[in-house]
Amino acid sequence: MRVNASGGIGLVALVGSLLLAAGPVAAEQSPWQFRLRGLGVITEDSGKVDGIAGSDLSYSDSVVPEFDITYFFTDNLAVELILATTKATVHAEGSIEALGKVGEAWVLPPTLTLQYHFTDFGAFKPYVGAGVNYTIFYSQSGSGAFDDLDIENSFGAAVQLGFDWMVDAHWGVNLDVKKLFLQPDWTVELGGSKLTGNADLNPWLIGGGVTYRF
């Protein structure tokens, strides 16, 4: 089919007007997202010393910075690596409360979650996640009558619920709640005798901060 000059000019004008009406074409969004949060670590305060009836343990809570990295496979499916470290103090409770402070340890609990992001609510972008945690205990020390505190590195499950409120295509604010199921074994020396037990930490991690999507 042959198009004359006036028809060709008219077709170009029509296409141009449609493009102008549609506006600029949005660039494809990067799959990478970073967050920086303030994180509250709230432990369950439960545990035991093997062979001592009524023994219990408690642990200090803390507020620390947290950094996480998210990679989106699709608009809905993503994986997130959560990084933070905090110092924990262990106290004897229950029938052994008189023994006081057991010791201190630094805790590094890198956590990897697989997330589903809901995309039908505009700037409000809620998500749920589940995954695995591997907690590393380092720089451990006994206190008072206790020596050689050793809390074992442990795997645990993690669940997550949160949302981003996106101010624009890149920046947003975030609120996030995670539950780690963490019950490591531990040992300590008391007066030359070795004590063993279980520390039921199971912390809640409650964070809020800033989101940046590349």
Side-chain angles (χ1 to χ4, degrees), residues 28 141 202:
E28 184 177 353
S141 61
N202 298 326

Side-chain angles (χ1 to χ4, degrees), residues 74-146:
T74 70
D75 288 341
N76 301 107
L77 195 63
V79 64
E80 180 178 86
L81 177 63
I82 302 153
L83 300 170
T85 190
T86 185
K87 188 177 184 179
T89 304
V90 184
H91 291 272
E93 301 288 353
S95 63
I96 58 172
E97 183 177 2
L99 295 174
K101 182 179 174 181
V102 176
E104 297 177 335
W106 280 88
V107 185
L108 177 65
T111 303
L112 188 67
T113 60
L114 182 66
Q115 300 174 329
Y116 186 85
H117 291 252
F118 300 88
T119 56
D120 299 327
F121 304 100
F124 177 63
K125 300 188 181 299
Y127 57 86
V128 294
V132 65
N133 159 264
Y134 183 69
T135 298
I136 300 165
F137 297 91
Y138 64 100
S139 297
Q140 304 183 61
S141 61
S143 180
F146 295 93

Side-chain angles (χ1 to χ4, degrees), residues 24 33 41 55 66 73 114 125 143 170 181 192 194-195 211:
Q33 178 176 277
V41 182
S55 61
E66 179 211 313
F73 299 106
L114 182 66
K125 300 188 181 299
S143 180
H170 298 288
F181 298 92
K194 183 176 181 179
L195 302 179
T211 297

Side-chain angles (χ1 to χ4, degrees), residues 3-200:
V3 179
N4 60 32
S6 59
I9 293 171
L11 181 60
V12 170
L14 176 61
V15 171
S17 64
L18 290 174
L19 290 174
L20 287 173
V25 178
E28 184 177 353
Q29 198 165 25
S30 167
W32 293 101
Q33 178 176 277
F34 294 159
R35 293 193 188 95
L36 184 63
R37 301 186 183 105
L39 183 71
V41 182
I42 304 170
T43 57
E44 187 175 281
D45 284 343
S46 182
K48 66 176 183 177
V49 178
D50 294 333
I52 301 180
S55 61
D56 203 355
L57 299 171
S58 68
Y59 321 97
S60 58
D61 299 330
S62 59
V63 177
V64 296
E66 179 211 313
F67 179 69
D68 72 55
I69 304 168
T70 305
Y71 183 85
F72 284 81
F73 299 106
T74 70
D75 288 341
N76 301 107
L77 195 63
V79 64
E80 180 178 86
L81 177 63
I82 302 153
L83 300 170
T85 190
T86 185
K87 188 177 184 179
T89 304
V90 184
H91 291 272
E93 301 288 353
S95 63
I96 58 172
E97 183 177 2
L99 295 174
K101 182 179 174 181
V102 176
E104 297 177 335
W106 280 88
V107 185
L108 177 65
T111 303
L112 188 67
T113 60
L114 182 66
Q115 300 174 329
Y116 186 85
H117 291 252
F118 300 88
T119 56
D120 299 327
F121 304 100
F124 177 63
K125 300 188 181 299
Y127 57 86
V128 294
V132 65
N133 159 264
Y134 183 69
T135 298
I136 300 165
F137 297 91
Y138 64 100
S139 297
Q140 304 183 61
S141 61
S143 180
F146 295 93
D147 293 302
D148 298 327
L149 176 65
D150 182 18
I151 306 172
E152 294 184 6
N153 298 342
S154 304
F155 280 101
V159 293
Q160 181 181 33
L161 176 67
F163 70 85
D164 293 300
W165 186 276
M166 300 305 295
V167 178
D168 57 29
H170 298 288
W171 290 97
V173 294
N174 174 261
L175 180 65
D176 183 270
V177 178
K178 293 179 284 290
K179 175 71 171 180
L180 305 186
F181 298 92
L182 182 62
Q183 299 176 342
D185 294 327
W186 63 276
T187 62
V188 72
E189 295 281 341
L190 176 62
S193 299
K194 183 176 181 179
L195 302 179
T196 63
N198 183 258
D200 297 340

